[in-house]
């Protein structure tokens, strides 16, 4: 376990990152429901493999974009910000082949955006201006997450770690409900992955800081999970939205 990237986390940031917040992320399984339905995940060992695969693909991308979003919020001038947000939004959108996954990301981004506006109300106008050129209802979730961290005093490193952790935590938590797994064993899986999460997130932050354009950010993907996401969207019986 490496040293934390800052002396401490503000309580306001902890509230925004809480899975019990009304941002809506708890309604999404990160593809776990479709993986369980397909028979790919059956036990805690499979959950670990699934989460590790997500971490090294979608997790790396989300972490880099969350860090880039945090950096942009802290450094952009008012005049150029909307164009830069649009470029980040389009860049992340292009890295998600699945239309269902894109909708889910924007839905979670919308929920988190509403939560930010409700809790950091003095920044509401600035948020609306900066995101005016992004697709409705809001930019993708990692972009909003990066802003949430920046607004509450966190660093880009924290934004990346939060994004990477969420990529693993959502499917891990969903697996408990879908398969009736021992929650302590699943939480142990998350603990086992914590070192990798930090390494991936910190590496993604380094790339975000060094990048000169959106094209320099990671573009890892898992095609099979993208296909399953679209299949899941057409399922008649679903416990999770994605």
């Amino acid at each position: 376990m490496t040293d934390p990237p800052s002396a401490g986390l503000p309580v306001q940031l902890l509230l925004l990152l809480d899975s019990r917040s009304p941002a809506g992320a708890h309604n999404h399984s990160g593809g776990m429901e479709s993986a369980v339905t397909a028979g790919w995940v059956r036990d805690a060992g499979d959950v670990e493999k699934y989460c590790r695969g997500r971490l090294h693909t979608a997790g790396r991308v989300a972490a880099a974009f969350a860090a880039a979003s945090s950096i942009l919020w802290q450094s952009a001038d008012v005049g150029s910000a909307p164009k830069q947000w649009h470029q980040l939004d389009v860049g992340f959108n292009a890295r998600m082949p699945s239309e269902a996954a894109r909708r889910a990301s924007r839905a979670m981004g919308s929920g988190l955006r509403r939560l930010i506006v409700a809790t950091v109300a003095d920044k509401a106008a600035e948020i609306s201006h900066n995101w005016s050129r992004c697709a409705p209802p809001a930019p993708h979730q990692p972009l909003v997450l990066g802003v949430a961290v920046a607004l509450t005093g966190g660093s880009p490193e924290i934004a990346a770690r939060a994004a990477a952790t969420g990529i693993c935590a959502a499917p891990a938590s969903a697996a408990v409900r879908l398969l009736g797994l021992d929650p302590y064993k699943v939480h142990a899986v998350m603990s086992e992955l914590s070192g990798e999460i930090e390494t991936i997130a910190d590496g993604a932050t380094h790339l975000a800081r060094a990048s000169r354009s959106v094209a320099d950010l990671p573009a890892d993907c898992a095609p099979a999970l993208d296909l399953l996401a679209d299949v899941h969207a057409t399922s008649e019986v679903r416990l999770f939205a994605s």
Side-chain angles (χ1 to χ4, degrees):
M1 186 82 67
T2 59
D3 293 333
S6 71
L9 297 180
V11 172
Q12 193 175 36
L13 174 56
L14 293 174
L15 291 172
L16 287 173
L17 298 179
D18 192 335
S19 62
R20 294 166 294 184
S21 76
H26 53 277
N27 292 326
H28 298 265
S29 75
M32 179 58 77
E33 184 168 17
S34 55
V36 168
T37 301
W40 294 359
V41 178
R42 297 184 177 88
D43 54 32
D46 291 338
V47 171
E48 181 174 357
K49 293 175 184 177
Y50 180 90
C51 289
R52 178 171 284 113
R54 286 263 298 169
L55 173 62
H56 286 265
T57 52
R60 185 166 177 261
V61 174
F65 274 81
S69 171
S70 185
I71 293 167
L72 175 56
W73 185 269
Q74 295 170 351
S75 63
D77 63 83
V78 175
S80 65
K83 180 179 180 180
Q84 292 172 295
W85 284 113
H86 178 69
Q87 291 171 343
L88 265 185
D89 191 67
V90 169
F92 189 79
N93 200 68
R95 287 160 170 79
M96 301 185 77
S98 165
E99 174 60 28
R102 291 195 294 268
R103 287 198 304 268
S105 178
R106 291 199 186 280
M108 287 187 284
S110 179
L112 184 54
R113 178 183 182 276
R114 291 180 62 191
L115 185 60
I116 294 173
V117 171
T119 56
V120 195
D122 59 314
K123 295 292 184 180
E126 189 177 354
I127 290 170
S128 296
H129 170 77
N130 284 330
W131 289 343
S132 61
R133 295 182 61 175
C134 294
H140 286 288
Q141 194 268 352
L143 275 63
V144 187
L145 177 60
V147 170
V149 172
L151 282 173
T152 51
S155 67
E157 286 78 10
I158 291 174
R161 290 186 180 191
T165 300
I167 286 290
C168 295
S173 176
V176 174
R177 295 171 62 184
L178 291 164
L179 295 168
L181 300 177
D182 182 342
Y184 292 95
K185 288 184 178 179
V186 173
H187 215 69
V189 166
M190 286 297 298
S191 179
E192 183 69 24
L193 289 172
S194 61
E196 287 182 56
I197 291 172
E198 290 181 354
T199 299
I200 291 291
D202 292 350
T205 305
H206 176 75
L207 288 174
R209 289 190 182 280
S211 66
R212 295 185 177 182
S213 72
V214 176
D216 295 331
L217 298 177
D220 309 272
C221 68
L225 295 185
D226 287 319
L227 290 172
L228 277 184
D230 286 330
V231 171
H232 180 266
T234 64
S235 299
E236 293 184 7
V237 180
R238 293 178 294 166
L239 183 60
F240 293 92
S242 69

